[in-house]
Amino acid sequence: MPSVRRALLPVAGVVLSATLAGCGGSSSGGAPPATSNGHTVTIKGFAFNPSTLTVAPGTKVTFVQEDTVPHNVTGTGNSAFLHSPLLKKGQTYTVTFTKAGTYDYSCTIHPDMQAKVIVK
């Protein structure tokens, strides 16, 4: 049996190395990664992360609510189309940004939570 263990040891090392390599952090300073069909903004710690997101026209942005207290995503002016329902923990809200511009938004329940999406 010891020879089988010795033979499997290198295989286990390769599997462990590959697994740990996949656990690396985002290179964008802690911002949530882009998904295959858009980007993600995380709502956590009474903040939108990232607070500024730059995307191309036609990009979907999904807001993921991870706080234990409810929040919403509400824009003003040219951002008025941003109007999520009250989001509880685990809920999401997805918007497609079609036109170039700067879209400011906040949580109306917690007005200090402010962020923006820049489309260019």
Side-chain angles (χ1 to χ4, degrees):
M1 201 57 124
S3 63
V4 171
R5 286 185 189 151
R6 271 187 253 133
L8 291 178
L9 191 56
V11 172
V14 169
V15 170
L16 181 59
S17 295
T19 301
L20 291 175
C23 292
S26 169
S27 62
S28 57
T35 60
S36 60
N37 61 347
H39 289 268
T40 301
V41 173
T42 303
I43 305 169
K44 187 173 184 180
F46 289 85
F48 296 102
N49 183 28
S51 60
T52 300
L53 177 65
T54 302
V55 300
T59 300
K60 287 183 184 181
V61 176
T62 299
F63 297 85
V64 179
Q65 212 298 55
E66 294 183 0
D67 261 343
T68 56
V69 298
H71 297 292
N72 62 20
V73 178
T74 304
T76 58
N78 70 334
S79 307
F81 69 93
L82 293 170
H83 189 72
S84 77
L86 193 61
L87 301 172
K88 296 179 183 176
K89 185 173 183 172
Q91 293 182 314
T92 63
Y93 171 64
T94 301
V95 177
T96 301
F97 289 86
T98 57
K99 295 181 182 178
T102 298
Y103 300 92
D104 296 306
Y105 60 91
S106 65
C107 172
T108 59
I109 303 164
H110 309 102
D112 288 342
M113 292 176 60
Q114 299 178 8
K116 63 183 159 189
V117 174
I118 300 170
V119 182
K120 60 180 180 177

CSV table of all heavy atoms in Angstrom, one decimal, residues 8 11-12 27-28 30-32 40 45-46 50-51 67 69 83 86 92 94-95 106 108 110 113-114 118:
chain,number,residue,atom,x,y,z
A,8,LEU,N,0.3,8.4,-5.6
A,8,LEU,CA,-0.8,9.4,-5.7
A,8,LEU,C,-0.4,10.7,-5.1
A,8,LEU,O,-1.0,11.7,-5.4
A,8,LEU,CB,-2.0,8.9,-4.8
A,8,LEU,CG,-2.7,7.7,-5.5
A,8,LEU,CD1,-3.8,7.2,-4.5
A,8,LEU,CD2,-3.3,8.0,-6.8
A,11,VAL,N,0.0,13.5,-7.7
A,11,VAL,CA,-1.3,13.8,-8.3
A,11,VAL,C,-2.0,14.8,-7.3
A,11,VAL,O,-2.6,15.8,-7.7
A,11,VAL,CB,-2.1,12.6,-8.6
A,11,VAL,CG1,-3.5,12.9,-9.0
A,11,VAL,CG2,-1.4,11.7,-9.7
A,12,ALA,N,-2.0,14.4,-6.0
A,12,ALA,CA,-2.7,15.3,-5.0
A,12,ALA,C,-2.1,16.7,-5.0
A,12,ALA,O,-2.8,17.6,-4.9
A,12,ALA,CB,-2.6,14.6,-3.7
A,27,SER,N,-8.0,41.4,-9.6
A,27,SER,CA,-6.9,42.3,-9.9
A,27,SER,C,-7.4,43.7,-9.9
A,27,SER,O,-6.6,44.6,-10.1
A,27,SER,CB,-6.2,42.0,-11.2
A,27,SER,OG,-7.1,42.1,-12.2
A,28,SER,N,-8.7,44.0,-9.7
A,28,SER,CA,-9.2,45.3,-9.8
A,28,SER,C,-9.5,45.9,-8.4
A,28,SER,O,-10.4,46.6,-8.2
A,28,SER,CB,-10.5,45.3,-10.6
A,28,SER,OG,-11.4,44.4,-10.0
A,30,GLY,N,-10.3,44.6,-5.4
A,30,GLY,CA,-11.3,44.1,-4.6
A,30,GLY,C,-12.7,44.2,-5.2
A,30,GLY,O,-13.7,43.8,-4.6
A,31,ALA,N,-12.8,44.8,-6.4
A,31,ALA,CA,-14.1,44.9,-7.1
A,31,ALA,C,-14.6,43.5,-7.5
A,31,ALA,O,-13.8,42.6,-7.8
A,31,ALA,CB,-14.0,45.8,-8.3
A,32,PRO,N,-15.9,43.3,-7.5
A,32,PRO,CA,-16.4,42.0,-7.9
A,32,PRO,C,-16.1,41.8,-9.4
A,32,PRO,O,-16.0,42.7,-10.2
A,32,PRO,CB,-17.9,42.2,-7.8
A,32,PRO,CG,-18.1,43.3,-6.8
A,32,PRO,CD,-16.9,44.2,-7.0
A,40,THR,N,-20.9,42.9,-12.0
A,40,THR,CA,-21.6,42.7,-10.8
A,40,THR,C,-21.2,43.9,-9.9
A,40,THR,O,-20.0,44.2,-9.7
A,40,THR,CB,-21.3,41.4,-10.1
A,40,THR,OG1,-21.6,40.3,-10.9
A,40,THR,CG2,-22.0,41.3,-8.8
A,45,GLY,N,-22.0,46.1,3.5
A,45,GLY,CA,-21.4,47.0,4.4
A,45,GLY,C,-21.9,48.5,4.2
A,45,GLY,O,-21.1,49.4,4.3
A,46,PHE,N,-23.2,48.6,3.8
A,46,PHE,CA,-23.7,49.9,3.5
A,46,PHE,C,-22.9,50.6,2.4
A,46,PHE,O,-22.7,51.8,2.5
A,46,PHE,CB,-23.9,50.8,4.8
A,46,PHE,CG,-24.9,50.3,5.7
A,46,PHE,CD1,-24.6,49.3,6.6
A,46,PHE,CD2,-26.2,50.8,5.7
A,46,PHE,CE1,-25.6,48.8,7.5
A,46,PHE,CE2,-27.2,50.3,6.5
A,46,PHE,CZ,-26.9,49.3,7.4
A,50,PRO,N,-18.1,47.9,-6.9
A,50,PRO,CA,-17.3,49.1,-6.8
A,50,PRO,C,-18.2,50.3,-6.8
A,50,PRO,O,-19.3,50.3,-7.3
A,50,PRO,CB,-16.4,49.1,-8.1
A,50,PRO,CG,-17.3,48.3,-9.1
A,50,PRO,CD,-18.0,47.3,-8.3
A,51,SER,N,-17.7,51.4,-6.3
A,51,SER,CA,-18.5,52.7,-6.2
A,51,SER,C,-18.5,53.4,-7.6
A,51,SER,O,-19.4,54.1,-7.9
A,51,SER,CB,-17.9,53.6,-5.2
A,51,SER,OG,-16.6,53.9,-5.5
A,67,ASP,N,-26.1,42.6,2.2
A,67,ASP,CA,-26.3,43.1,3.5
A,67,ASP,C,-27.5,42.5,4.2
A,67,ASP,O,-28.4,42.0,3.5
A,67,ASP,CB,-26.5,44.6,3.5
A,67,ASP,CG,-25.3,45.4,3.8
A,67,ASP,OD1,-24.3,44.8,4.3
A,67,ASP,OD2,-25.2,46.6,3.5
A,69,VAL,N,-29.6,44.2,6.0
A,69,VAL,CA,-30.7,45.1,6.0
A,69,VAL,C,-31.1,45.5,4.6
A,69,VAL,O,-30.2,45.4,3.7
A,69,VAL,CB,-30.3,46.5,6.8
A,69,VAL,CG1,-30.0,46.2,8.2
A,69,VAL,CG2,-29.1,47.1,6.1
A,83,HIS,N,-34.4,51.9,-10.8
A,83,HIS,CA,-35.4,52.0,-9.8
A,83,HIS,C,-35.7,50.5,-9.3
A,83,HIS,O,-36.7,49.9,-9.8
A,83,HIS,CB,-36.7,52.7,-10.2
A,83,HIS,CG,-37.6,53.0,-9.1
A,83,HIS,ND1,-37.4,53.9,-8.1
A,83,HIS,CD2,-38.8,52.4,-8.7
A,83,HIS,CE1,-38.3,53.9,-7.2
A,83,HIS,NE2,-39.2,53.0,-7.6
A,86,LEU,N,-37.2,47.1,-3.2
A,86,LEU,CA,-36.5,47.0,-2.0
A,86,LEU,C,-35.9,45.6,-2.0
A,86,LEU,O,-36.6,44.6,-2.2
A,86,LEU,CB,-37.4,47.1,-0.8
A,86,LEU,CG,-36.7,47.3,0.6
A,86,LEU,CD1,-35.9,48.5,0.6
A,86,LEU,CD2,-37.8,47.3,1.7
A,92,THR,N,-31.3,40.1,-6.2
A,92,THR,CA,-30.5,40.8,-7.2
A,92,THR,C,-31.4,41.7,-8.1
A,92,THR,O,-32.6,41.5,-8.1
A,92,THR,CB,-29.8,39.8,-8.2
A,92,THR,OG1,-30.8,39.1,-8.9
A,92,THR,CG2,-28.8,38.9,-7.4
A,94,THR,N,-31.0,43.5,-12.0
A,94,THR,CA,-30.2,43.6,-13.2
A,94,THR,C,-30.7,44.7,-14.2
A,94,THR,O,-31.9,44.8,-14.4
A,94,THR,CB,-30.1,42.3,-14.0
A,94,THR,OG1,-29.6,41.3,-13.1
A,94,THR,CG2,-29.2,42.3,-15.2
A,95,VAL,N,-29.7,45.5,-14.7
A,95,VAL,CA,-30.1,46.6,-15.6
A,95,VAL,C,-29.1,46.5,-16.8
A,95,VAL,O,-27.9,46.2,-16.6
A,95,VAL,CB,-29.9,47.9,-15.0
A,95,VAL,CG1,-30.1,49.1,-15.9
A,95,VAL,CG2,-30.8,48.1,-13.8
A,106,SER,N,-28.2,55.8,-5.9
A,106,SER,CA,-28.0,55.7,-4.4
A,106,SER,C,-29.1,54.8,-3.9
A,106,SER,O,-29.9,54.3,-4.6
A,106,SER,CB,-28.2,57.1,-3.8
A,106,SER,OG,-29.5,57.6,-3.9
A,108,THR,N,-32.1,54.9,-1.5
A,108,THR,CA,-33.0,56.0,-0.9
A,108,THR,C,-33.2,55.8,0.6
A,108,THR,O,-33.5,56.8,1.3
A,108,THR,CB,-34.3,56.1,-1.6
A,108,THR,OG1,-35.0,54.8,-1.5
A,108,THR,CG2,-34.1,56.5,-3.1
A,110,HIS,N,-30.8,54.7,2.6
A,110,HIS,CA,-29.5,55.1,3.2
A,110,HIS,C,-28.8,56.0,2.2
A,110,HIS,O,-27.9,55.6,1.4
A,110,HIS,CB,-28.6,53.9,3.5
A,110,HIS,CG,-29.4,52.8,4.3
A,110,HIS,ND1,-29.9,51.7,3.7
A,110,HIS,CD2,-29.7,52.7,5.6
A,110,HIS,CE1,-30.5,51.0,4.6
A,110,HIS,NE2,-30.4,51.6,5.7
A,113,MET,N,-25.2,56.1,0.8
A,113,MET,CA,-24.7,55.0,-0.2
A,113,MET,C,-24.9,55.6,-1.6
A,113,MET,O,-26.0,55.6,-2.1
A,113,MET,CB,-25.6,53.7,0.0
A,113,MET,CG,-25.3,53.0,1.3
A,113,MET,SD,-26.4,51.6,1.5
A,113,MET,CE,-26.0,50.6,0.1
A,114,GLN,N,-23.8,56.0,-2.2
A,114,GLN,CA,-23.9,56.6,-3.5
A,114,GLN,C,-22.8,55.9,-4.4
A,114,GLN,O,-21.7,55.6,-3.9
A,114,GLN,CB,-23.6,58.1,-3.5
A,114,GLN,CG,-24.7,58.8,-2.7
A,114,GLN,CD,-24.5,60.3,-2.6
A,114,GLN,OE1,-23.6,60.8,-3.2
A,114,GLN,NE2,-25.2,61.0,-1.7
A,118,ILE,N,-20.4,54.4,-15.4
A,118,ILE,CA,-20.0,55.2,-16.5
A,118,ILE,C,-20.0,54.3,-17.7
A,118,ILE,O,-19.4,53.3,-17.8
A,118,ILE,CB,-18.6,55.8,-16.3
A,118,ILE,CG1,-18.5,56.7,-15.1
A,118,ILE,CG2,-18.1,56.6,-17.6
A,118,ILE,CD1,-17.2,57.1,-14.6
